[in-house]
Amino acid sequence: MQETIQIHNETDAIVARQRGRDMARRLGFSVVDQTRIAISISELARNMILYADHGEVLICEIRDPQGEVGLEVQVVDNGPGIADLEQAMSDGFSTSNGLGMGLPGTKRLMDDFVVETAPGSGTKITIRKWLHARYM
Amino acid sequence: MQETIQIHNETDAIVARQRGRDMARRLGFSVVDQTRIAISISELARNMILYADHGEVLICEIRDPQGEVGLEVQVVDNGPGIADLEQAMSDGFSTSNGLGMGLPGTKRLMDDFVVETAPGSGTKITIRKWLHARYM
Amino acid sequence: MQVPILKMNDVLIVTLGNEITDEEAIRIKQDILVKIQDTGCEGLLLDISVVDLIDSFMGRVLNEIAEMARLMGCRTAISGMSPQVAITMIELGLKLEGVYTALTVERGFDWLRNT
Amino acid sequence: MQVPILKMNDVLIVTLGNEITDEEAIRIKQDILVKIQDTGCEGLLLDISVVDLIDSFMGRVLNEIAEMARLMGCRTAISGMSPQVAITMIELGLKLEGVYTALTVERGFDWLRNT
Ligand SMILES: Nc1ncnc2c1ncn2[C@@H]1O[C@H](COP(=O)(O)OP(=O)(O)O)[C@@H](O)[C@H]1O
Ligand SMILES: Nc1ncnc2c1ncn2[C@@H]1O[C@H](COP(=O)(O)OP(=O)(O)O)[C@@H](O)[C@H]1O
């Protein structure tokens, strides 16, 4: 299972989080995990609109070497990138008078959280949730 | 429609915000938008008095290429300018024990917010509100 | 989306939907505040039982409505938050401050009528 | 502008106008505090129903009056804020803390008399 959603405005972000929730439900995630995934997609997609204007969200089913089922979301843009990632990942830091909870909060909600970014080369954030998390 | 108000003291700032409100009303802006415009003029004109001693406020009707009606305010002074604009734009930053909400707050209230400034060459802040904002 | 605002015994009741955009949020705020002024109601009940998540955007909207209503002299209660919404909201790091919370519409309503 | 301060049943009532300058703000603060001392009133009602915006200057004046009155042992209620003032004040980023808010003069007055 794999889906790609182009993100240009908030309505797209709402569609993407709904798709994430649907796929999570089909894979057998609990309602709480479905919500963790949906809220994470919402935060990252809104960031993309705000800081990078547009981009895309890929949602897919994954398996690890042991056959463990998971859901992976990639949020990819060609925006300005994040210069100081450590700062951006800290609770309350925001360059837009936002709450500054999006990145650190999403990290708390998911099992895996990986950022690839550099100034001028866009941002790719990959998040994963495992059906039976070995660590939570 | 265009008006220029010379700003030397707070009474002038009060006149300027009243003129902004009047023009906004004539252009058909809602009472809430009229208030957003008036409060923004008030903040910027008070800053001017405080940091640059005096200056002027220009209020005019504008149209974008698609014919969309808007109201533009230019707040111009020959004061010391702002050395670190990013810092000045962050919530709570003030060099005068102020609340530090004037610049970031005005940005939130308006549709467009542009600052041109350099140390020693004064400050020009241009703000706009569109009658039917395409992005809010 | 035009959000209907119900008036019942001096309490305004608003049922918030799931997919509120920025523009809708701005309109909802204005509609609620004008209604407070027009009706003189001192209680506002936001029912969120159909809301399936509260992200930082929605959290901000709820906090702003409650704070704006308070400035006018009207108290806000929020009813019907589901367990998954509560858990994920706290994990994300959001807070709802200065708002009374109730399990059901009935209890939120009773609280607003009796304070 | 000389702001009249009305005393009614141990509550001081002040109607604030729209265009308060720094100097007037200073005088209003002094007048109110002296009046609190002279009358021994424990309640202060600031009616802002004609105020058409609260910018950071006005927000600071209101907060200062309330805080000074509190230090003297007098509680403050603010009544009559309009929807557009509430919305823009919050969007600007201002807060009114430690102040009771009421929809109308009557309700603010009742609250001050009963607490
Ligand atoms: N896709 C992105 N592109 C560029 N910068 C970003 C992106 N996402 C987040 N950032 C930066 O990281 C900061 C922190 O993000 P976040 O924790 O979500 O808080 P907020 O969005 O409230 O500011 C943002 O203020 C912004 O500077
Ligand atoms: N017109 C101006 N000229 C020079 N500096 C200014 C001007 N306007 C604002 N500033 C600087 O920007 C800072 C932030 O302004 P603002 O957000 O309005 O907060 P505050 O006025 O409460 O300090 C001010 O403290 C000042 O240092």
Side-chain angles (χ1 to χ4, degrees):
Chain A
M1 282 196 276
Q2 168 149 2
E3 287 200 65
T4 308
I5 303 107
Q6 303 297 326
I7 308 286
H8 291 278
N9 55 49
E10 325 158 62
T11 313
D12 299 332
I14 291 172
V15 169
R17 85 183 191 209
Q18 196 51 51
R19 295 285 164 77
R21 185 188 283 278
D22 290 346
M23 194 180 294
R25 185 175 34 233
R26 285 200 301 273
L27 291 174
F29 281 97
S30 68
V31 176
V32 178
D33 274 345
Q34 290 168 31
T35 308
R36 289 190 177 106
I37 290 164
I39 201 171
S40 299
I41 294 174
S42 190
E43 293 294 324
L44 299 180
R46 275 184 191 280
N47 274 356
M48 194 156 67
I49 297 164
L50 202 57
Y51 304 112
D53 188 68
H54 65 279
E56 60 182 30
V57 170
L58 279 85
I59 308 172
C60 58
E61 181 185 346
I62 50 169
R63 270 165 208 274
D64 79 355
Q66 285 74 47
E68 173 77 64
V69 172
L71 183 150
E72 179 177 284
V73 181
Q74 295 171 26
V75 184
V76 188
D77 67 58
N78 286 308
I82 303 174
D84 187 337
L85 189 57
E86 198 179 326
Q87 201 176 39
M89 287 301 300
S90 60
D91 267 332
F93 175 82
S94 175
T95 56
S96 67
N97 297 311
L99 296 174
M101 305 311 280
L103 296 182
T106 300
K107 186 166 184 216
R108 281 191 289 271
L109 287 159
M110 301 298 287
D111 294 326
D112 302 333
F113 181 98
V114 181
V115 187
E116 296 157 75
T117 185
S121 354
T123 301
K124 176 178 174 182
I125 301 179
T126 306
I127 54 179
R128 288 183 210 98
K129 194 92 199 164
W130 299 101
L131 201 50
H132 306 287
R134 290 138 302 174
Y135 23 67
M136 297 205 61
Chain B
M1 283 196 276
Q2 169 150 2
E3 288 200 65
T4 308
I5 302 107
Q6 301 298 326
I7 308 286
H8 292 277
N9 55 49
E10 327 157 61
T11 312
D12 300 330
I14 291 171
V15 169
R17 85 182 191 211
Q18 196 50 49
R19 294 285 164 77
R21 186 188 282 279
D22 291 345
M23 193 179 296
R25 186 174 33 234
R26 284 200 301 273
L27 290 175
F29 281 96
S30 69
V31 177
V32 179
D33 274 344
Q34 290 169 31
T35 309
R36 289 191 177 106
I37 290 165
I39 201 171
S40 298
I41 294 174
S42 190
E43 293 295 323
L44 299 181
R46 278 184 190 278
N47 272 357
M48 193 155 68
I49 298 163
L50 201 58
Y51 303 112
D53 188 67
H54 65 279
E56 60 181 32
V57 170
L58 278 86
I59 307 172
C60 58
E61 179 186 349
I62 49 168
R63 269 163 210 273
D64 79 356
Q66 284 76 48
E68 173 77 66
V69 172
L71 184 149
E72 179 177 284
V73 182
Q74 295 172 26
V75 185
V76 188
D77 67 58
N78 286 309
I82 303 173
D84 187 336
L85 188 58
E86 197 180 325
Q87 202 174 38
M89 288 299 302
S90 60
D91 267 332
F93 176 83
S94 175
T95 56
S96 67
N97 296 313
L99 296 174
M101 303 312 280
L103 296 183
T106 299
K107 185 168 183 216
R108 280 191 289 272
L109 287 160
M110 302 297 288
D111 293 326
D112 302 333
F113 181 97
V114 181
V115 188
E116 295 156 76
T117 185
S121 356
T123 301
K124 176 178 172 184
I125 300 179
T126 305
I127 54 178
R128 287 182 212 100
K129 192 93 200 163
W130 298 99
L131 201 49
H132 306 287
R134 291 139 303 176
Y135 21 69
M136 306 201 56
Chain C
M1 182 186 66
Q2 175 78 28
V3 172
I5 305 176
L6 187 77
K7 175 175 178 296
M8 208 174 129
N9 293 319
D10 284 325
V11 171
L12 297 178
I13 306 180
V14 182
T15 303
L16 292 176
N18 234 326
E19 311 187 346
I20 295 176
T21 62
D22 282 26
E23 257 174 75
E24 285 162 349
I26 290 168
R27 211 179 36 229
I28 291 168
K29 280 182 232 172
Q30 292 182 5
D31 289 353
I32 290 175
L33 296 200
V34 168
K35 195 87 173 192
I36 291 171
Q37 190 177 45
D38 289 352
T39 60
C41 287
E42 289 182 314
L44 170 65
L45 182 58
L46 301 176
D47 185 55
I48 57 165
S49 43
V50 304
V51 169
D52 71 2
L53 64 80
I54 295 181
D55 56 8
S56 43
F57 169 73
M58 187 69 179
R60 182 190 282 227
V61 170
L62 291 174
N63 276 315
E64 282 184 355
I65 292 174
E67 183 56 15
M68 289 171 179
R70 185 190 75 84
L71 287 176
M72 289 184 66
C74 177
R75 245 164 310 220
T76 301
I78 290 184
S79 65
M81 191 183 294
S82 65
Q84 60 270 24
V85 171
I87 292 172
T88 52
M89 198 179 143
I90 294 299
E91 287 179 351
L92 186 65
L94 300 178
K95 295 203 173 77
L96 279 186
E97 277 164 348
V99 189
Y100 181 84
T101 45
L103 267 170
T104 60
V105 171
E106 295 75 18
R107 294 197 186 165
F109 185 76
D110 287 346
W111 181 81
L112 287 167
R113 294 219 54 204
N114 297 324
T115 38
Chain D
M1 182 186 65
Q2 175 76 29
V3 173
I5 305 177
L6 185 78
K7 176 174 176 297
M8 206 176 132
N9 293 321
D10 284 325
V11 171
L12 298 178
I13 305 180
V14 182
T15 303
L16 292 176
N18 234 325
E19 311 188 345
I20 296 176
T21 62
D22 283 27
E23 258 173 73
E24 286 162 348
I26 291 169
R27 206 173 45 226
I28 292 169
K29 279 184 237 171
Q30 284 177 4
D31 291 353
I32 289 175
L33 296 196
V34 169
K35 196 87 173 192
I36 291 172
Q37 190 173 42
D38 290 353
T39 60
C41 285
E42 289 183 321
L44 169 65
L45 182 58
L46 302 175
D47 184 55
I48 56 166
S49 42
V50 304
V51 169
D52 71 1
L53 65 79
I54 295 181
D55 57 7
S56 42
F57 169 72
M58 187 69 179
R60 183 191 282 224
V61 170
L62 291 175
N63 276 314
E64 282 179 359
I65 293 174
E67 183 59 16
M68 289 171 178
R70 189 187 71 81
L71 288 176
M72 291 183 67
C74 176
R75 244 168 309 219
T76 301
I78 290 184
S79 64
M81 190 182 295
S82 65
Q84 60 270 25
V85 172
I87 291 173
T88 52
M89 201 180 143
I90 295 298
E91 287 180 350
L92 187 65
L94 302 177
K95 295 202 171 78
L96 277 186
E97 276 162 349
V99 189
Y100 182 84
T101 45
L103 271 168
T104 60
V105 171
E106 296 77 17
R107 295 191 187 170
F109 185 76
D110 287 347
W111 182 81
L112 287 167
R113 293 219 55 203
N114 298 324
T115 37

